[in-house]
Amino acid sequence: MNSKLTKTQQKAICSQLGNVKLNLLYKASIHGFTGAAFHQHCDNKSPTVSVGYNNSGFVFGGYTSQSFSQSGQYVNDNHAFLFSFSGEKLKKYPVSNAPYAVKMVSTCGPYFGEALVLANGNQPIVYSSPGKYYNFNAAELHGNNLNMTECEVYQVEGKSNTPGKRIIRTYRPLNSSVTQARVLLIGPVGAGKSSFFNSINSIFRGHVTSQAISGSCSTSLTTQFRTYSMKAGREGKPLPLILCDTMGLEENVGPDIDDISNILKGHLPDRYQFNPSVPLQSEAHSFCKSPGLKDKIHCVTYVLDASKISIMSSKMEEKLKTIRRKVNSMGIPQLVLLTKVDEACSMVKEDITNVYRSSYIRDVAATRVGVPLSCIIPVKNYSQELELDTNIDILLLSAAVQMLRFVDNFFDDLKPVPLAAIPAQEMTLPPPCFTDEVVCIGS
């Protein structure tokens, strides 16, 4: 069945309901304008969105979190609402008397509290009575045209970002002596290194968390070298990805290039306290003298604030170039993570799914970072949000998957060893790409 709702209208409805998508259950032009047909396809399925159409061009309907039935009873639903479209813009009319939000009537289609009934009395007719449990203007809702041309009912389903999560959960490094890929995060103070770890950790925990210290400050909140392992859920197994966090870079302060070199080689222990004036010496007790491949860095990711990259100082640019030269000399793959993309571009702030359409993000990435666009990944970390958002999750997971791909490049350059690779068909999440077309990331 083809949906009569446009993609923009579906998106407007879903924006009222969270991280969801709409699955078409019932279409009156196919199944019939009868209560029996409606109940056959829609009973005991919730939540639902019911939509009516008339030949005046009005699109209107209602949402309920409760399941339809044929009990003849009212059902309490304080989440229910009616809606109408003016073009592609949705107007919402919340239930005003929740105990009478929905009524279960066998001879009718969707029945919203004696206020709006679609396919009333087994006919392609709308019953409308403003003020009875829902307050709306009839002319505004349906133009006072009660003859229906179509009626659709959609089940509201949670969206899934499981492809990216599955890829990360099931990933195994190409070298059998390594069980967890180690990715080093390097960037200026406040760019969002710790927040990126917190964001990825939040996705796998199922709620927003803040394990690593993060925030806005003129000096680095991270003063130690930290290795963060994550679990697939609160009681889940450790993920095959370790994110290594460093002290934030400043023009005249930050981890010494020798300390960074020691991190890359696996010499620095977790929780090593940085001393910007003196790098850790090989004679020190905490210096790891014989690190294995599992202790070394397999990919370096530079974390840069997209809203500030255009005003980056020449000293900071030179500092990053010095680090890049060192990383290049060691043959370690490198990525760039552009954070705070919503603060850098108004179009992206309005809709995060516009991120790959943004000419500002694309141009800044190409001119200031100095690496191919395929190595630059735009993301938005969780900062002020209290709940997870699918479109944010997909950007973050795409970044993590790309890191694992680059880790594989690192192992590919080593001498052949017994392989324990993830099957190629599992690496199905497409790499990020900038385009002039709108990319609907959440679809």
Side-chain angles (χ1 to χ4, degrees), residues 91-113:
K91 184 164 185 178
K92 183 177 174 182
Y93 310 91
V95 64
S96 56
N97 197 340
Y100 301 94
V102 187
K103 191 174 183 180
M104 308 303 170
V105 181
S106 62
T107 57
C108 296
Y111 200 118
F112 292 90

Side-chain angles (χ1 to χ4, degrees), residues 189-364:
V189 171
K193 302 184 308 299
S194 301
S195 293
F196 177 73
F197 159 75
N198 286 334
S199 297
I200 296 292
N201 196 34
S202 296
I203 293 172
F204 283 93
R205 286 298 182 98
H207 57 85
V208 176
T209 67
S210 187
Q211 180 179 339
I213 298 173
S214 62
S216 299
C217 190
S218 59
T219 57
S220 180
L221 293 173
T222 301
T223 60
Q224 297 178 322
F225 171 62
R226 292 303 319 272
T227 58
Y228 290 112
S229 183
M230 298 166 284
K231 292 182 178 180
R234 185 176 180 182
E235 305 296 333
K237 296 179 180 180
L239 296 173
L241 172 64
I242 293 176
L243 295 177
C244 304
D245 196 7
T246 58
M247 184 178 182
L249 300 177
E250 300 176 62
E251 289 185 6
N252 301 308
V253 187
D256 187 276
I257 187 64
D258 290 332
D259 272 340
I260 291 176
S261 178
N262 284 331
I263 292 173
L264 299 174
K265 296 175 181 177
H267 292 307
L268 292 195
D270 184 30
R271 297 184 184 275
Y272 165 71
Q273 185 73 41
F274 287 107
N275 183 343
S277 58
V278 182
L280 184 66
Q281 303 300 310
S282 59
E283 299 80 16
H285 175 71
S286 58
F287 189 89
C288 302
K289 293 182 172 58
S290 302
L293 186 59
K294 64 180 179 59
D295 304 308
K296 298 179 180 181
I297 296 301
H298 311 132
C299 173
V300 170
T301 298
Y302 302 97
V303 182
L304 303 177
D305 182 342
S307 67
K308 295 180 180 178
I309 194 171
S310 62
I311 57 172
M312 183 186 296
S313 70
S314 57
K315 282 188 176 181
M316 181 60 70
E317 283 194 56
E318 187 56 41
K319 198 164 194 173
L320 287 168
K321 287 179 181 177
T322 301
I323 296 171
R324 284 186 60 202
R325 285 193 290 268
K326 171 62 70 174
V327 177
N328 281 334
S329 70
M330 299 177 67
I332 302 173
Q334 301 168 74
L335 282 171
V336 172
L337 207 65
L338 283 184
T339 62
K340 306 183 183 180
V341 291
D342 56 319
E343 297 179 23
C345 176
S346 59
M347 183 172 68
V348 178
K349 186 173 184 178
E350 181 179 338
D351 186 348
I352 193 69
T353 66
N354 285 331
V355 66
Y356 291 120
R357 187 188 178 192
S358 168
S359 59
Y360 174 82
I361 299 296
R362 181 174 60 242
D363 294 344
V364 164

Side-chain angles (χ1 to χ4, degrees), residues 163-165 167 394 397-399 401-402 405 426-431:
K165 292 175 71 174
I167 290 170
I394 290 175
L397 291 171
S398 295
V401 168
Q402 196 73 343
R405 289 182 175 136
E426 286 295 325
M427 282 293 207
T428 55
L429 204 65

